[in-house]
Amino acid sequence: MAVLVYADHDGVNVKDSTNKAVSAALAISSDVHVLVAGSVAPAKSAASIDGVSKVLVAKSDALSKDIAEAVEALVTPLMANYDAVLFVAGAAGKNAAPRIAAKLDVAIISDIIEVTGPKSFVRPIYAGNALESVESSDGKLIITVRTTAFKAEGNGGAASIEEIVAPNATHSATFVSEAMVKSDRPELQGAKRVVSGGRALGSEEEFNAVIVPLADRLGAAVGASRAAVDAGYAPNDYQVGQTGKVVAPELYVAVGISGAIQHLAGMKDSKTIVAINKDPDAPIFQIADFGLVADYKTAVPEFQNSL
Amino acid sequence: MKILVPVKRVIDYNVKVRVKADQTGVDLANVKMSMNPFCEIAVEEAVRLVEKGVATEVVVVSIGVTQAQETIRTALAMGADRGILLTSDQDLEPLNIAKLLKAVIAEEKPDMVLMGKQAIDGDNNATGQMLAALLDWPQATFASEINIDGGKAKVTREVDGGLQTLEVALPAIVTVDLRLNEPRFASLPNIMKAKKKPIDIKDAASMGVEVKNHLNVTKVTEPPKREAGIKVESAAELAAKLKEAGVI
């Protein structure tokens, strides 16, 4: 039977993470459909993803705000036609997917990084310090995908698009407001380069004066360690780690980050890791491809000038 | 208003986790165990709601081995009123935990469940959402601010790209994120007082809930090791090496 991918989109186009979730779905079944919920516009880009045979679109305001109860009301009945549904393991997917699993009385399979069989998966536990191989005994699989672990499918396809009706959710939370960070920089999760700052920066002003210009110079997204976020130097949305975002860019530059386990969990799969820290014993150096033991105050401007 | 706070006993977040040689799991023998950090934040928030006069009672519940009593005592020392422990030696999946919590809720009838967004062992981030589904209650996950007024909770949530505020009618499930608060350290007098607070201990099997694991863990392995690379002497050398490697 077919499997469904719940599209991650910005209201206009599907995000690259959707192409990656499709890649995970294709490892489970050759018949992959994509569900675009909220707005209609992204359906076109969803239909172009290689390997997708059909796109379903459901328009609704609650869905465009990722209200979990609305997503559950839409997806749960659709599962009569599908063996599995895959969500991108971001805030929206993590919010809704377990709800659907509970409604169907099946397990949630969170954050998969590998598909090893039709019902077998690998997922990180303990902040990525161990990998768990699991096999499901359920008839329906509800999955969230750590998309950094999968390659993105291309955009050479032309699937059919079908509009469906979004049911109304009962007992639902209602949307009040949102405050989204607007930025011209690449989005942290899909960025090819990331520059992150840690506790050593010491203040929000210093973070903005050091990390942000280097990120702009490299065309990189800005990240932060939990310590920097907790101290108020950077917004939580920048947080890379077990409790924040998991990234795997081509280049990850860690400035003034010691490398706590929980931070490493969020970035250790980056292709090239650069660490700048004045403490030669900082654990970050144990995983860095290029380490520079120096005070960031002099090293970062020098590095920037050498680019 | 009565708040129920589920808490989990996990490997302390400072402990380096070791995978067992036979690949059956991680080594829990002689390892320091603590309350899951997200659960601590939930307990703290519940206690603050009592201190503000918004809530009247905080009940903590844990499901697991008998030693989870210590975790409940920690919550009681922080200011919770009483505890419930459902004992089980099984490693229970989030769905089973949610079903057992639903049974506890049927008895306790709380107005709100405050709980951590995830446990740092299984990293599932699922139990709160599953419990909300089983109860048909609204949910507000990843909370960084909670305001309660007139039978409703206004919850600001940490989402990708910023913050979202939702309103949920109580009873509801709210799962908490890191920035909601900074949990207190229990004072010695409060630790002493907590020893006298009641904990109701019963066998999870007595709750009339069918517990069945849906996922078979075939093995647990170490992640591939990443080797340290080279140290460079200067920022200029760093830039040169990155150019040489074709990274920039």
Side-chain angles (χ1 to χ4, degrees), chain A residues 65-69 72 90-92 94-96 98-99 101-103 105-111 123-138 170-181 189 193 218 226 229-230 234-237 239 242-245 250-251 261 267-274 276 280 285-293 299 302-303 306-307, chain B residues 11 13-17 19 26 28 37-38 41 91 93-95 99 117-127 129-142 154 157-169 177-179 182 212-224 226-243 245 247-248:
Chain A
K65 299 298 180 196
D66 299 321
I67 304 294
E69 294 83 353
E72 175 216 307
K94 287 179 176 179
N95 188 31
R99 228 185 134 102
K103 280 287 178 197
D105 197 27
V106 299
I108 175 77
I109 308 170
S110 309
D111 252 341
R123 53 180 303 268
I125 54 175
Y126 291 95
N129 287 300
L131 302 178
E132 181 181 68
S133 297
V134 295
E135 191 177 8
S136 171
S137 55
D138 288 323
T170 48
H171 314 291
S172 175
T174 50
F175 175 80
V176 177
S177 64
E178 64 190 2
M180 292 299 171
V181 179
Q189 226 140 5
R193 294 171 177 180
L218 286 167
R226 178 177 158 187
V229 169
D230 280 350
N236 188 60
D237 191 43
Q239 193 194 145
Q242 179 187 22
T243 53
K245 295 199 169 69
E250 304 272 319
L251 173 64
I261 295 169
M267 46 65 77
K268 66 181 166 53
D269 294 325
S270 305
K271 200 151 169 240
T272 301
I273 296 174
V274 170
I276 301 173
F285 288 122
Q286 290 165 20
I287 63 153
D289 298 287
F290 300 101
L292 174 58
V293 181
E302 250 181 74
F303 177 52
S306 316
L307 293 170
Chain B
I11 290 189
Y13 75 103
N14 278 316
V15 170
K16 171 111 182 74
V17 171
V19 173
V26 305
L28 295 177
F38 291 100
I41 295 169
D91 193 10
E93 291 171 5
L95 181 60
K99 286 179 178 177
K117 73 163 180 177
Q118 87 191 64
I120 59 166
D121 48 4
D123 279 338
N124 277 295
N125 191 332
T127 305
Q129 296 90 312
M130 291 184 132
L131 179 59
L134 296 178
L135 292 164
D136 260 323
W137 285 8
Q139 71 186 47
T141 52
F142 325 145
K154 207 180 255 189
R157 310 174 55 231
E158 307 268 0
V159 297
D160 297 339
L163 299 170
Q164 181 191 57
T165 303
L166 295 181
E167 191 170 77
V168 289
D177 217 320
L178 283 172
R179 288 203 305 175
E182 219 169 293
K212 166 188 164 235
N213 273 352
H214 298 238
L215 298 179
N216 176 29
V217 178
T218 50
K219 65 177 175 182
V220 175
T221 55
E222 296 253 7
R226 188 171 182 128
E227 298 296 325
I230 57 159
K231 287 257 172 73
V232 294
E233 293 301 320
S234 69
E237 190 190 345
L238 175 61
K241 290 277 185 209
L242 289 174
K243 279 177 196 158
V247 180
I248 54 170

Side-chain angles (χ1 to χ4, degrees), chain A residues 32-202:
Chain A
V32 173
H33 299 181
V34 173
L35 171 60
V36 175
S39 35
V40 175
K44 210 172 151 204
S45 59
S48 78
I49 301 174
D50 289 336
V52 173
S53 54
K54 188 175 174 184
V55 173
L56 304 176
V57 198
K59 192 172 178 302
S60 105
D61 290 339
L63 288 167
S64 70
K65 299 298 180 196
D66 299 321
I67 304 294
E69 294 83 353
V71 179
E72 175 216 307
L74 172 67
V75 177
T76 307
L78 284 178
M79 290 313 291
N81 309 323
Y82 295 97
D83 280 338
V85 60
L86 295 89
F87 288 79
V88 172
K94 287 179 176 179
N95 188 31
R99 228 185 134 102
I100 297 160
K103 280 287 178 197
L104 295 169
D105 197 27
V106 299
I108 175 77
I109 308 170
S110 309
D111 252 341
I112 63 161
I113 56 168
E114 197 185 335
V115 179
T116 50
K119 289 190 172 197
S120 303
F121 308 91
V122 180
R123 53 180 303 268
I125 54 175
Y126 291 95
N129 287 300
L131 302 178
E132 181 181 68
S133 297
V134 295
E135 191 177 8
S136 171
S137 55
D138 288 323
K140 305 285 177 189
L141 307 181
I142 313 298
I143 297 165
T144 62
V145 181
R146 181 170 289 192
T147 48
T148 53
F150 294 88
K151 70 169 179 65
E153 292 296 325
N155 287 91
S160 60
I161 298 174
E162 182 190 322
E163 272 206 53
I164 58 171
V165 177
N168 282 326
T170 48
H171 314 291
S172 175
T174 50
F175 175 80
V176 177
S177 64
E178 64 190 2
M180 292 299 171
V181 179
K182 289 211 168 49
S183 168
D184 296 332
R185 269 181 231 107
E187 207 181 324
L188 187 53
Q189 226 140 5
K192 291 206 158 42
R193 294 171 177 180
V194 174
V195 177
S196 286
R199 199 206 313 258
L201 274 304

